[in-house]
Amino acid sequence: MIITGPNMAGKSTYLRQVALICLMAQIGSFVPAEQVQMGITDRIFSRVGAQDHLLKGQSTFMVEMNETANILNNATPRSLIILDEIGRGTSTFDGISIAWSIVEYLHGSEPEGGPKTLFATHYHELTELSRILSGVKNYSVQVKEWNDEIIFLRKIIPGGADKSYGIQVARLAGLPKQVLDRANEVLFNLEQSEFDEVGVPKISRSETKDNTPSSGQLGLFPEPENPLIQKIRQIDPNDMSPKQALDTLFELTKLLKEKHK
C-alpha cells in the first residue's frame, strides 16, 4: 500500500495501528474489529520517525538508511513492514529514486511476491507504480478543503492524494501570513514549471523599493530568451578551431558583461 495525504492527517497513526493489530491478533488478543482474517506474520519491521545519532556521527538520513537496509536484508514474504516517508532526508530527486527502488524491491517477483508493506509518503510520483506493479495499491487519507483550509476526516480511501497541503498545515502551525503568501507564490511557479534559463524557479513578484510586493500577476507573453543563451545554443564545439573557440569565448564574456552593466 502506497499511502499519501497531508501531514497530521493520520498516515503514521494508521501504520502503527496496523502493526499493533497484527501483533495483538497473533498473540491471541482481541482486536478492534467485528472480525479479522490475517495470515501468519514472522516479523514486524518498522521505519517510523526521524532521529539522529550524533555520538555515532550519523545523520538522520544515515540512521534511516541503516534501519531500511536491515529491513530489506532480513524481511521475508511473511513479514509485515511499515515505512514512513523513506527518503525525506536528502534531495528530492535522490529521495524519490531511493523510495521508488525500495518499493520495487519489496514488491518482489511473481508468484511469491514480497512482504506485506505499508509505505506512507509525500512523494506522489510513487503512486505511478500501481500502473506497472500488480501488487502495489494506492490509498490516501481523506481530507476536505474549506475556505483555503483543510479538515481531516480520519479515513483511509482508495486512490492517491493529489497534493500534500503543506502550506495549509503551516498555516495551522501559525506561520506569519507574509511567509504563507510568499510560499503560495513560489509553489505556483514550481507547479507551473516556471524556471529561468539556468533552472532557477522564477518569482511571481519582485520587491519594490518600499518593500511593497506587486500583485504577483504573471505576464501573458513569455520573456525573450537571454541573448547569451541564444548564442550558446548556436555553438557546435566539434566544428570549431582553437582560434574560433577562443574568439567565441571572448564574445560570450563580452555579452555577459553587457548584460550585467
Side-chain angles (χ1 to χ4, degrees):
M1 291 173 59
I2 302 293
I3 305 172
T4 50
N7 284 303
M8 293 174 49
K11 298 189 301 298
S12 300
T13 300
Y14 182 73
L15 263 60
R16 291 180 172 94
Q17 170 184 295
V18 172
L20 286 172
I21 289 175
C22 177
L23 178 62
M24 292 165 64
Q26 194 149 313
I27 66 174
S29 173
F30 290 108
V31 298
E34 293 181 358
Q35 64 179 25
V36 61
Q37 183 175 351
M38 187 180 299
I40 298 297
T41 299
D42 58 4
R43 299 178 185 179
I44 299 175
F45 293 97
S46 68
R47 165 83 279 281
V48 179
Q51 60 180 355
D52 53 29
H53 289 320
L54 295 180
L55 294 179
K56 296 181 180 179
Q58 296 182 346
S59 66
T60 301
F61 181 68
M62 185 59 179
V63 172
E64 179 181 278
M65 290 297 99
N66 281 336
E67 295 180 1
T68 303
N70 176 61
I71 293 172
L72 299 183
N73 291 323
N74 293 288
T76 73
R78 285 192 172 275
S79 300
L80 171 64
I81 301 174
I82 59 173
L83 301 173
D84 193 9
E85 298 187 36
I86 295 296
R88 62 185 165 183
T90 185
S91 71
T92 301
F93 288 158
D94 282 354
I96 292 175
S97 301
I98 292 170
W100 186 289
S101 60
I102 287 173
V103 173
E104 288 183 335
Y105 183 87
L106 290 174
H107 180 269
S109 57
E110 301 294 347
E112 184 180 26
K116 299 178 289 292
T117 305
L118 284 76
F119 195 124
T121 183
H122 286 287
Y123 295 141
H124 298 142
E125 293 83 356
L126 298 185
T127 59
E128 297 297 321
L129 282 164
S130 64
R131 300 175 182 268
I132 57 177
L133 299 177
S134 60
V136 173
K137 306 297 179 186
N138 293 323
Y139 287 84
S140 60
V141 186
Q142 191 174 18
V143 296
K144 183 177 182 179
E145 292 188 74
W146 180 261
N147 292 334
D148 202 30
E149 295 183 0
I150 53 175
I151 302 172
F152 302 115
L153 301 182
R154 312 299 183 190
K155 184 178 181 181
I156 300 290
I157 59 174
D162 56 348
K163 54 184 178 180
S164 292
Y165 302 94
I167 295 177
Q168 287 86 342
V169 173
R171 177 180 289 106
L172 292 176
L175 261 65
K177 184 177 183 302
Q178 181 180 355
V179 172
L180 297 171
D181 291 343
R182 182 68 185 126
N184 272 311
E185 292 175 348
V186 175
L187 176 63
F188 174 81
N189 277 339
L190 291 173
E191 290 180 337
Q192 298 299 318
S193 298
E194 293 284 342
F195 300 99
D196 63 17
E197 62 272 7
V198 294
V200 177
K202 292 181 179 179
I203 57 174
S204 58
R205 65 156 170 84
S206 60
E207 295 289 346
T208 56
K209 292 182 179 180
D210 59 356
N211 290 326
T212 302
S214 62
S215 64
Q217 178 69 34
L218 295 177
L220 293 176
F221 305 100
E223 295 181 4
E225 190 176 46
N226 189 321
L228 188 62
I229 302 299
Q230 291 179 349
K231 183 65 178 178
I232 293 176
R233 292 186 192 280
Q234 299 170 1
I235 296 174
D236 186 357
N238 295 320
D239 292 334
M240 301 174 68
S241 67
K243 177 68 167 60
Q244 290 172 325
L246 188 59
D247 291 340
T248 302
L249 180 60
F250 280 117
E251 184 179 355
L252 292 176
T253 304
K254 181 180 178 181
L255 282 172
L256 183 62
K257 290 180 178 178
E258 289 176 352
K259 181 174 176 60
H260 290 283
K261 279 184 179 179

